[in-house]
Amino acid sequence: MNRSLVIRLMRRREVCSRAELTQDSGLNQSTITNIINELISWGIVVETGVIEGKKGRRSIGIKLNCEPYKIIGIRLARKSITVALYDLGGSEYKRQQIPINMADGSTNAFNRMKELIRDMMQSNAVGNVIAIGVVTPGPLLRDEGRIGLMTYFPGWEKINIQEELMQEFELPVYMEHDAKAGALAHWWFGTPLQEQGVMIYVAAGQGVGAGIVIEGKVFRGSLGMAGEIGHMSIDYKGQQCECGNRGCLELYCSTSALLQTLKKEHASLKSIWQELKEVKSGETREAVRQAAWYLGFGLVNIINTFNPDRIILGDEMAEAGDLLLDTVKSVIKGHVLPDVYSQLTIELASDDMDTMLVGSAIVAIESILDNPSSYLKQS
């Protein structure tokens, strides 16, 4: 626990001193000295030379040496598989994405995922790959290592992704729902950095899910399926969903639903967002506004359940920009208590990184940091 605490504190700082770690951790000086000496012997910490401290005091700087410890992060979506190489600090080294198609089948897509992993491991030039993180759409049976249902792409529920990848690559494999991983990535790298409270990341893409982070911990539920808001019914007489329910939220506000509404199932989302930017199509704007309106009503229920400080709208629907954000805000403002709304921040996810892909690596990194001696000492 103490090793984990020290590494996590160092992750937040580029360079620090042993004295700063003593103050921040609440551990005594001799404990910090012993832990740092141990971490230096493992190669995960290096000394950087003399640094200036408070009141002009000089001390030896130390920092994490993340590069020798690599993680492969994988994002499985309904239309693509993305695999990337990260180090223990979450820095990305290489990325590759391939399209997949329901017509080709889940088994074929899974085999292609394995090929990408193999290629990524072979491309690693420094250090060793010590774990694999995988994020998928849900519902995800996290403890069983398999998808319960992937709407618009059946067959994945028959594959135990975690078990097969562990056997294939002889590495620990960690799985998470993509929205939960996105939430974790925002907690790690978000600006401003959030230390406390409740943050909800909403992945509104080909499906709809939510990642709920409470005081730095992802809320998963008993089977790991908490946050599966795409299968929350907003119309009990509505359309039939593949999950067996009626009126599921994702039938109204996912990009899959948006393309069906526009009767452009085979069009690219890029072309849809371009239409929005060029204000050429009133039909497109109205369809996006309607989808955002439904999403807002779904989030009203989530707000009343979890009372978050912050909601981040991400994934493909976030590319609609202010049209999505303003519509969602308007619905929420009109349907929650004023005191609740006044304390709530609602924003679009940053578009400079794939938070769910980054989150796939962080899921594995978090598990490593929980028990560092099991991974880092032996690597």
Side-chain angles (χ1 to χ4, degrees):
M1 288 175 62
N2 289 343
R3 292 188 193 107
S4 177
L5 173 61
V6 169
I7 294 173
R8 289 177 187 277
L9 288 172
M10 292 186 70
R11 186 187 71 79
R12 296 290 181 96
R13 298 168 175 266
E14 186 172 341
V15 176
C16 63
S17 68
R18 291 167 174 82
E20 288 172 326
L21 289 175
T22 299
Q23 181 176 350
D24 291 349
S25 67
L27 300 174
N28 62 49
Q29 186 174 352
S30 61
T31 300
I32 289 294
T33 298
N34 291 337
I35 289 174
I36 293 301
N37 288 343
E38 188 175 42
L39 296 180
I40 289 174
S41 72
W42 295 358
I44 185 60
V45 169
V46 293
E47 294 184 332
T48 63
V50 176
I51 59 172
E52 292 288 339
K54 293 180 179 179
K55 299 181 180 179
R57 294 173 181 168
R58 307 180 78 192
S59 56
I60 301 296
I62 51 176
K63 69 174 184 177
L64 289 179
N65 181 32
C66 296
E67 190 177 12
Y69 303 94
K70 297 298 199 313
I71 311 295
I72 289 181
I74 303 160
R75 181 182 177 189
L76 170 62
R78 290 168 176 83
K79 295 182 179 180
S80 64
I81 296 172
T82 312
V83 177
L85 185 68
Y86 295 89
D87 68 19
L88 199 63
S91 296
E92 184 178 304
Y93 289 75
K94 185 178 180 181
R95 175 191 303 203
Q96 188 173 357
Q97 183 180 85
I98 59 168
I100 56 174
N101 193 301
M102 181 178 68
D104 295 332
S106 55
T107 300
N108 181 58
F110 189 43
N111 287 335
R112 297 188 70 191
M113 179 193 292
K114 292 176 182 177
E115 292 171 7
L116 286 177
I117 296 170
R118 204 170 288 113
D119 291 345
M120 197 62 68
M121 292 180 73
Q122 291 173 354
S123 72
N124 177 42
V126 177
N128 298 315
V129 175
I130 60 174
I132 296 172
V134 185
V135 300
T136 76
L140 171 69
L141 301 172
R142 182 175 177 270
D143 293 342
E144 295 183 23
R146 65 180 180 86
I147 298 169
L149 170 71
M150 191 191 293
T151 52
Y152 307 105
F153 203 142
W156 284 99
E157 69 278 1
K158 299 176 183 177
I159 300 173
N160 191 304
I161 297 173
Q162 184 176 44
E163 185 176 302
E164 290 204 30
L165 291 183
M166 288 176 69
Q167 289 179 355
E168 181 89 13
F169 297 102
E170 298 182 341
L171 287 172
V173 176
Y174 299 96
M175 290 189 66
E176 189 56 273
H177 183 271
D178 51 12
K180 293 182 180 67
L184 197 56
H186 272 281
W187 193 275
W188 263 52
F189 295 118
T191 304
L193 191 66
Q194 188 168 348
E195 300 276 2
Q196 297 176 319
V198 180
M199 185 191 76
I200 297 178
Y201 173 79
V202 180
Q206 295 156 36
V208 179
I212 304 155
V213 182
I214 302 173
E215 306 295 340
K217 297 292 183 182
V218 176
F219 179 70
R220 295 189 171 95
S222 61
L223 295 176
M225 290 171 58
E228 199 53 63
I229 66 172
H231 295 287
M232 169 179 63
S233 177
I234 59 171
D235 182 2
Y236 73 96
K237 292 184 178 179
Q239 303 173 45
Q240 182 89 39
C241 180
E242 290 179 39
C243 74
N245 198 7
R246 285 191 175 274
C248 287
L249 184 64
E250 72 173 38
L251 298 177
Y252 302 93
C253 61
S254 63
T255 53
S256 304
L258 176 63
L259 292 173
Q260 288 178 359
T261 299
L262 292 168
K263 297 181 172 56
K264 296 181 179 181
E265 289 92 334
H266 302 295
S268 70
L269 277 168
K270 185 177 180 180
S271 67
I272 300 299
W273 304 140
Q274 192 62 36
E275 284 183 19
L276 277 177
K277 290 174 184 175
E278 295 175 0
V279 201
K280 284 184 177 179
S281 172
E283 179 190 13
T284 298
R285 292 189 68 83
E286 185 54 37
V288 172
R289 186 180 289 108
Q290 181 178 337
W293 186 79
Y294 282 121
L295 179 60
F297 274 103
L299 293 179
V300 167
N301 295 326
I302 300 304
I303 292 166
N304 286 329
T305 303
F306 291 98
N307 186 205
D309 310 274
R310 187 178 176 200
I311 292 177
I312 300 169
L313 306 176
D315 208 3
E316 294 170 334
M317 282 296 293
E319 294 183 40
D322 288 341
L323 179 59
L324 175 79
L325 181 63
D326 293 345
T327 305
V328 167
K329 280 185 172 182
S330 176
V331 172
I332 292 173
K333 184 177 182 180
H335 292 86
V336 301
L337 292 172
D339 288 344
V340 173
Y341 185 78
S342 67
Q343 299 299 316
L344 176 64
T345 300
I346 307 169
E347 62 195 271
L348 295 172
S350 169
D351 60 1
D352 60 357
M353 69 173 176
D354 183 338
T355 52
M356 285 179 278
L357 178 62
V358 175
S360 67
I362 295 175
V363 167
I365 293 169
E366 280 283 332
S367 297
I368 292 167
L369 296 188
D370 282 342
N371 191 12
S373 60
S374 296
Y375 299 89
L376 307 182
K377 186 177 181 180
Q378 300 168 5
S379 297

